[in-house]
Amino acid sequence: MTSAASTFNGGEIMNHRSSIIRSVFAGLAVVLTTAALTLVPTGTASAATPLCTTMANVNRGGNNLSVPATGTGNVNCLISRSGAANSAVVSGLQYTLKTCYPTVHLASPYQSELVGNLAVDGSFGPRTTAALKGVQSSIGTTPDGGYGPLTRNAMRFSSNDVPGRCYHY
């Protein structure tokens, strides 16, 4: 009888151990799956879009425009306060904002200022961020203070042919 009881208890212990092992592996699978999903690219534009490093002359609708671009001429690029490539590109963007949107108000906390009074100094500081946010609000894009393809597509840019004239991209 002792041996039958031992076998029975041993079987329970084995079943209990198997249950614990299955639970541990199931939990580990959930953790690994969650970790893998956080490492998968989300497909956002900023994840794959390079920084703007120069200004390129682009002909749009018969108008020659000065537009931020990469060194290879790719106009699908980004400029932001944390990702300002160089002062020449920032100056080009500031000039465009100032020339094409002079009556737009900067975003908070500079809402009493106009984009037309923005300094073209090549520094992507808080006023340039606020100016870009103000322009983004006025053109109907997300006012995030970063320049990218969606903002570019909605913006006007200064003409290289007629100073002071602005045209949609």
Side-chain angles (χ1 to χ4, degrees):
M1 187 161 198
T2 305
S3 65
S6 299
T7 305
F8 179 74
N9 288 338
E12 281 184 23
I13 291 170
M14 289 302 288
N15 283 339
H16 184 65
R17 283 184 184 158
S18 294
S19 177
I20 290 172
I21 291 170
R22 280 193 299 271
S23 295
V24 167
F25 278 115
L28 185 58
V30 169
V31 169
L32 291 175
T33 301
T34 303
L37 290 175
T38 60
L39 297 175
V40 173
T42 60
T44 61
S46 62
T49 309
L51 290 178
C52 304
T53 57
T54 190
M55 296 298 285
N57 294 320
V58 177
N59 188 297
R60 298 291 287 182
N63 301 301
N64 291 310
L65 309 176
S66 185
V67 179
T70 65
T72 61
N74 180 2
V75 295
N76 290 318
C77 58
L78 302 173
I79 308 171
S80 69
R81 192 160 181 196
S82 62
N86 62 51
S87 63
V89 175
V90 175
S91 291
L93 179 62
Q94 289 169 328
Y95 177 79
T96 292
L97 295 175
K98 182 176 176 145
T99 302
C100 299
Y101 299 93
T103 60
V104 171
H105 285 268
L106 276 66
S108 180
Y110 307 104
Q111 64 270 20
S112 64
E113 298 178 30
L114 295 174
V115 175
N117 296 326
L118 182 67
V120 178
D121 60 5
S123 174
F124 204 112
R127 279 189 168 73
T128 299
T129 301
L132 185 54
K133 284 180 179 181
V135 169
Q136 288 171 323
S137 290
S138 76
I139 62 176
T141 60
T142 302
D144 59 9
Y147 171 91
L150 295 176
T151 296
R152 181 206 60 226
N153 289 345
M155 273 183 63
R156 293 186 313 250
F157 290 87
S158 56
S159 168
N160 292 329
D161 302 324
V162 184
R165 293 290 306 221
C166 298
Y167 300 96
H168 278 98
Y169 176 77

